[in-house]
Amino acid sequence: MRDEREKILPYKIMPNPNLTAPSVDAKALKRVAIVDDHTMMRGGMKLFIESLPDFEFAWTSEDAREAMAALEADVPDILIMDITLPDRNGIELVKDVHAIYPDLPVLMMSMHDESYYALRALKAGAKGYLMKSMPNEVYERALRRVAEGGTWLSEAMSEQMVQMYTSGTKREGDDGLEVLTDREFEVFQLIGEGQSTHQVAAALHISTKTVDVHRSNIRTKLKMEDGSAVVRFAIRWVESRRMAAQ
């Protein structure tokens, strides 16, 4: 596991003063671990956790391998995990964590819009999904909700999921994408954002050859005639999600 003395951000993220935390003793502190491949994000989250009176920083890991090794030695009360990791898709990692540590709540965070991944994250066993762009007060509320045994989603996403389950229909815009694996779905979404094979490879920390394999699998599973059809469909899908979110 990476040395916890790694360089961290030179500023302190303060909690929302309007949120009051209950008085707790050291034994009641909720220990939080962080899995993210960005040093600045790990450092910022570490400072944020340490600024909350009823939470305690446990450890950080930069990839899935480190995280699983760290969990064997020290299981925290809450695990915060990025969805995009250099050695494995975060949602696939959540499935493994949930299988081995079923009582460990996982709060996923990502730069991707929650309409892309929130449902997949919850199905994998996560207890919540946060976009990295959310303000500190939202992170604090999410942590407290998960610490109390609840599930965290934004109000808008919660309404979408309620409508989906009560109506018994798929979310508008899914278009059969449930057949894709979580990694294939990541590739599909990045293609839809106009990224090239090299850009997708860099974003997901995989080789261009692996991206090509995923693109081929996506084309086969979605029954598209060629790669260009996949690109057109992906672009339309991403645009439809953006319009729905407005």
Side-chain angles (χ1 to χ4, degrees):
M1 185 172 65
R2 179 177 288 270
D3 192 333
E4 292 183 2
R5 294 172 297 178
E6 64 182 332
K7 184 177 180 181
I8 58 179
L9 293 177
Y11 57 84
K12 189 168 186 177
I13 303 176
M14 299 302 294
N16 181 4
N18 296 321
L19 292 176
T20 58
S23 177
V24 293
D25 57 33
K27 293 183 179 180
L29 292 176
K30 295 292 185 180
R31 301 176 65 252
V32 182
I34 303 159
V35 184
D36 194 291
D37 62 321
H38 295 96
T39 301
M40 292 183 66
M41 189 67 189
R42 291 197 304 273
M45 287 300 298
K46 178 178 183 291
L47 288 173
F48 174 65
I49 297 301
E50 291 175 338
S51 74
L52 302 176
D54 46 349
F55 291 90
E56 181 180 33
F57 169 74
W59 46 262
T60 66
S61 293
E62 65 177 9
D63 57 36
R65 180 189 58 80
E66 275 193 3
M68 293 305 292
L71 284 170
E72 289 183 8
D74 181 10
V75 180
D77 295 302
I78 300 173
L79 182 63
I80 299 178
M81 183 190 304
D82 190 5
I83 203 169
T84 302
L85 298 171
D87 57 344
R88 196 167 188 203
N89 175 272
I91 293 180
E92 292 297 330
L93 178 58
V94 169
K95 293 176 183 178
D96 287 347
V97 171
H98 186 62
I100 301 172
Y101 309 97
D103 296 326
L104 173 59
V106 178
L107 180 60
M108 299 209 73
M109 59 182 181
S110 175
M111 61 183 291
H112 302 302
D113 188 279
E114 63 183 344
S115 63
Y116 294 159
Y117 292 105
L119 182 57
R120 283 177 175 255
L122 294 185
K123 284 183 175 180
K127 290 298 184 181
Y129 187 97
L130 271 171
M131 291 180 62
K132 287 186 175 181
S133 58
M134 291 293 100
N136 298 333
E137 62 190 63
V138 175
Y139 272 87
E140 187 172 352
R141 289 194 180 101
L143 269 175
R144 297 195 188 286
R145 176 75 61 79
V146 171
E148 294 169 356
T151 300
W152 176 268
L153 286 174
S154 71
E155 183 177 349
M157 192 64 209
S158 296
E159 290 179 359
Q160 286 187 37
M161 293 187 67
V162 168
Q163 291 176 3
M164 178 181 67
Y165 283 110
T166 55
S167 65
T169 60
K170 298 179 182 179
R171 280 188 305 144
E172 182 180 359
D174 277 351
D175 294 318
L177 298 181
E178 67 276 1
V179 300
L180 303 181
T181 67
D182 296 315
R183 179 61 93 185
E184 289 166 354
F185 185 71
E186 274 190 300
V187 172
F188 175 85
Q189 177 248 318
L190 292 174
I191 291 173
E193 292 179 355
Q195 296 196 26
S196 67
T197 296
H198 286 282
Q199 290 172 322
V200 173
L204 300 181
H205 309 283
I206 57 179
S207 69
T208 55
K209 184 176 181 179
T210 300
V211 174
D212 287 337
V213 171
H214 287 313
R215 291 175 72 118
S216 177
N217 290 338
I218 292 169
R219 179 180 62 80
T220 300
K221 289 182 178 181
L222 297 184
K223 300 178 180 179
M224 298 288 176
E225 57 185 19
D226 53 33
S228 296
V230 172
V231 173
R232 291 193 298 270
F233 178 59
I235 291 174
R236 288 197 304 270
W237 185 87
V238 168
E239 185 60 29
S240 71
R241 304 310 302 164
R242 287 173 177 167
M243 292 179 64
Q246 293 177 354

